[in-house]
Amino acid sequence: MPSASSRDAIPVPADVRTLLIFGGSFDPPHLAHVTLSIAARDALGLDWLLVIPAGRSPFKSNAPIANDSHRVSMLERAFSDDARSSVSTIELGTETGERPPSYTVDTLRRLRDALPGVSMRLLIGADQALSFHRWREFEAIISLAEPAVMPRPGDAEDPTRFEQEMLAHWSPEEAARWRQRLLGVPTLDVSATAIREAFAGRGDRGVLDRSLDPRVLAYIREHGVYDRPCD
């Protein structure tokens, strides 16, 4: 990963004009996170990919198993071969103890203030899109960074399925717009939960070699990131 301008927790080079934002727990970051987000950035023709590990999702009751430092280190290794991406700690604090939820709209406003003149898109999965009406200030999110949606297996063959599902909470015009946001990128069926269960001695341990960058796997083993029992 190249050295980027030091904008505190937002390492984006000064010459970047278009940005894809990709947030998540990344507990741990797996090959689908890397492959699909890079493919999405390139399909959209954007300059840069900013990966943001979440402090705590408002839709998840439990904090990530891996601590902030480990998640950042794993992400830096996972994306180290890509010359147009960086990892942001904008949602991570230095305080200990319980952290309030991280809301996407707040993060996007901070990014807008820090990166004036940069056009932003927000990368989400199709399942996230289906619950997007529950996100805090979802209309403001769309205004700040229009979503780009990664498809599920089968969406490419039948994109009308996704549009029909969106009709449960959106008007026909809005559902059609959501269908237009569906990206034509490949799908990969990789589960972070299955990876954590493999580390805990449950499930198929072969998933570790299939789903993790060797550098990420080596880091996890070296630091015993998932040695404690997982939920």
Side-chain angles (χ1 to χ4, degrees), residues 70-91:
H70 284 324
R71 287 190 295 142
V72 170
S73 294
M74 289 188 290
L75 280 168
E76 289 174 343
R77 284 159 175 77
F79 283 88
S80 61
D81 289 337
D82 184 66
R84 294 190 291 124
S85 64
S86 57
V87 179
S88 169
T89 58
I90 189 173
E91 291 192 0

Side-chain angles (χ1 to χ4, degrees), residues 144-166:
L144 288 162
E146 183 181 2
V149 182
M150 290 185 290
R152 299 160 299 179
D155 281 337
E157 292 77 14
D158 184 15
T160 59
R161 177 185 68 170
F162 175 70
E163 183 176 352
Q164 290 299 312
E165 290 172 310
M166 295 303 288

